[in-house]
């Protein structure tokens, strides 16, 4: 028993199992167990559908104390949003647990379909149903049934889709704190993609996307940081991409110059981890003719940037209204 456990007596009582010895025989209703499994899966779906109604719990604090507020109000806003985020995460884990219990119940029911299997029932069969790899497969579990819930999730197959693939089914965005949100998406074969977004008070947005396979192993991790600064007529947006080791992998900087409400020049430059420019695109608009010239540069054989493409388009207009006709 851990000396740091303040509930040592309660832990001892709750983990004591004298009831396992000399107890009465267990009468298992296999049809009832299968029905129980179905109901558990139904409860999982019910919780998942009702969780959507809790969206206002995480939205209303931000709306109530929007913009610059007193520190006390910001603390209340952060606490309420964090509480709402924890509740959403709890409900998600609860729904997942109900599904796990239902699948385990179905596995046990399938294991005991024959009378011989039922007479040889063991506690380890229950452990197997919940995914314990240290116990043997129940003798009565048909080979065609599969194995356990965990095995069904980790069975071999294709690799998870790329993080940007449309195959991901995106879940709701859950606030974790006043500045953090978490979105979990599921893949076509039980994979999981987690997107954690942190919006700093200064405006920079850091997004970390992690893809897990069906066994829960990390497949890929990608982090981007986007920040925008405005200096007079020039707006600069910098997007940094970081590798799994946390070191910068590439940086893309987009500079936009405006005159009034018109964009007159825009350039996008991408550099690698060593600071070398890998691509540069510029777009200039003639202030008189409004013609647009787009030029793309890439490193040549000498390593220096060389012009690779140039496109010139006609006068840029805002469009004209369609003519109006009056009947009569």
């Amino acid at each position: 028993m851990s000396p740091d456990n303040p509930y040592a007596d309660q832990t001892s009582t709750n983990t004591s199992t004298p009831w396992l010895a000399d107890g009465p025989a267990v009468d298992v209703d296999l049809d009832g167990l299968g029905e129980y499994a179905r109901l558990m899966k139904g409860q999982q779906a019910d919780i998942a559908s009702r969780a959507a109604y809790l969206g206002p719990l995480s939205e209303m604090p931000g709306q109530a104390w929007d913009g610059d507020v007193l520190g006390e109000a910001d603390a209340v806003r952060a606490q309420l949003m964090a509480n709402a985020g924890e509740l959403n995460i709890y409900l998600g884990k609860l729904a997942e647990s109900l599904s796990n219990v239902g699948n385990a119940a179905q596995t046990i029911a399938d294991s005991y379909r024959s009378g011989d299997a039922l007479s040889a029932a063991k506690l380890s069969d229950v452990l197997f149903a919940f995914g314990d790899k240290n116990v043997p497969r129940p003798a009565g579990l048909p080979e065609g049934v599969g194995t356990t819930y965990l095995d069904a999730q980790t069975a071999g197959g294709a690799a998870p889709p790329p993080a940007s693939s449309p195959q991901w089914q995106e879940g709701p965005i859950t606030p974790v704190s006043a500045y953090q949100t978490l979105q979990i998406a599921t893949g076509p074969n039980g994979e999981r993609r987690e997107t954690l977004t942190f919006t700093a008070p200064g405006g920079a947005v850091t997004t970390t996307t992690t893809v897990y396979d069906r066994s829960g192993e990390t497949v890929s991790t990608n982090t981007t940081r986007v920040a925008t600064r405005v200096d007079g007529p020039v707006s600069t947006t910098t997007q940094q991409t970081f590798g799994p080791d946390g070191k910068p992998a590439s940086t893309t900087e987009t500079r936009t110059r405006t005159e009034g409400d018109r964009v007159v020049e825009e350039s996008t430059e991408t550099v690698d981890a060593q600071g070398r420019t890998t691509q540069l695109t510029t777009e200039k608009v003639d202030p008189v003719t409004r013609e647009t010239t787009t030029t793309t540069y890439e490193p040549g054989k000498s390593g220096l940037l060389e012009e690779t493409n140039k496109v010139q388009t006609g006068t840029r207009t805002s469009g004209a209204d369609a003519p109006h006709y009056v009947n009569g």
Side-chain angles (χ1 to χ4, degrees):
M1 194 70 64
S2 171
D4 299 328
N5 184 2
Y7 307 105
D9 293 339
Q10 291 86 343
T11 300
S12 177
T13 300
N14 292 336
T15 57
S16 178
T17 57
W19 50 273
L20 290 176
D22 301 324
V26 178
D27 183 14
V28 180
D29 182 352
L30 299 183
D31 292 331
L33 200 57
E35 177 65 11
Y36 173 78
R38 187 186 67 80
L39 292 175
M40 285 296 98
K41 295 175 184 177
Q43 288 298 313
Q44 177 207 17
D46 184 63
I47 290 178
S49 64
R50 292 177 183 270
Y53 293 104
L54 299 179
L57 289 180
S58 57
E59 298 169 359
M60 292 174 66
Q63 297 170 352
W65 294 287
D66 188 21
D68 296 331
V69 296
L70 294 175
E72 293 82 354
D74 182 65
V76 172
R77 173 176 59 188
Q79 187 62 57
L80 290 176
M81 294 179 69
N83 291 346
E86 290 180 1
L87 177 60
N88 276 281
I89 293 173
Y90 165 77
L91 291 175
K93 294 298 183 183
L94 176 59
E96 181 181 348
S97 298
L98 291 175
S99 176
N100 291 354
V101 170
N103 281 281
Q106 188 62 60
T107 300
I108 295 171
D110 292 334
S111 300
Y112 297 160
R113 284 299 174 189
S114 69
D116 292 340
L118 186 57
S119 64
K122 301 176 182 178
L123 181 60
S124 62
D125 297 342
V126 178
L127 298 177
F128 176 88
F130 278 100
D132 191 333
K133 297 296 185 181
N134 298 317
V135 297
R137 177 187 174 91
L141 184 62
E143 292 296 332
V145 170
T147 50
T148 66
Y149 171 81
L150 181 62
D151 291 329
Q153 296 295 311
T154 59
S164 59
S165 171
Q167 297 183 54
W168 294 100
Q169 297 295 318
E170 297 182 347
I173 298 176
T174 303
V176 177
S177 69
Y179 307 111
Q180 270 188 319
T181 62
L182 175 65
Q183 183 179 42
I184 298 178
T186 55
N189 298 301
E191 305 92 344
R192 187 173 83 259
R193 185 192 69 189
E194 294 186 357
T195 303
L196 185 66
T197 302
F198 175 76
T199 304
V205 179
T206 302
T207 303
T208 300
T209 302
T210 306
V211 175
Y212 302 90
D213 63 17
R214 285 163 293 186
S215 64
E217 297 293 329
T218 301
V219 175
S220 64
T221 299
N222 178 268
T223 299
T224 61
R225 182 180 184 273
V226 179
T228 300
R229 71 176 187 274
V230 178
D231 185 11
V234 179
S235 173
T236 304
T237 299
T238 303
Q239 177 176 310
Q240 291 179 291
T241 301
F242 301 86
D245 57 359
K247 297 181 179 180
S250 66
T251 301
T252 299
E253 189 171 80
T254 301
R255 302 180 188 88
T256 304
R257 177 182 295 275
T258 59
E259 290 183 0
D261 59 349
R262 295 178 181 271
V263 176
V264 296
E265 184 176 348
E266 184 173 88
S267 66
T268 301
E269 181 180 11
T270 300
V271 301
D272 60 17
Q274 286 72 41
R276 297 171 299 194
T277 300
T278 57
Q279 188 173 36
L280 172 63
T281 301
T282 64
E283 180 182 282
K284 296 183 178 181
V285 181
D286 189 291
V288 178
T289 66
R290 308 304 299 165
E291 291 182 338
T292 301
T293 303
T294 303
T295 310
T296 302
Y297 304 86
E298 291 182 358
K301 294 182 179 179
S302 63
L304 301 177
L305 290 179
E306 297 179 0
E307 183 179 307
T308 56
N309 191 34
K310 189 171 186 177
V311 178
Q312 187 167 352
T313 57
T315 303
R316 178 180 290 185
T317 66
S318 58
D321 294 334
H324 294 275
Y325 301 94
V326 179
N327 294 328

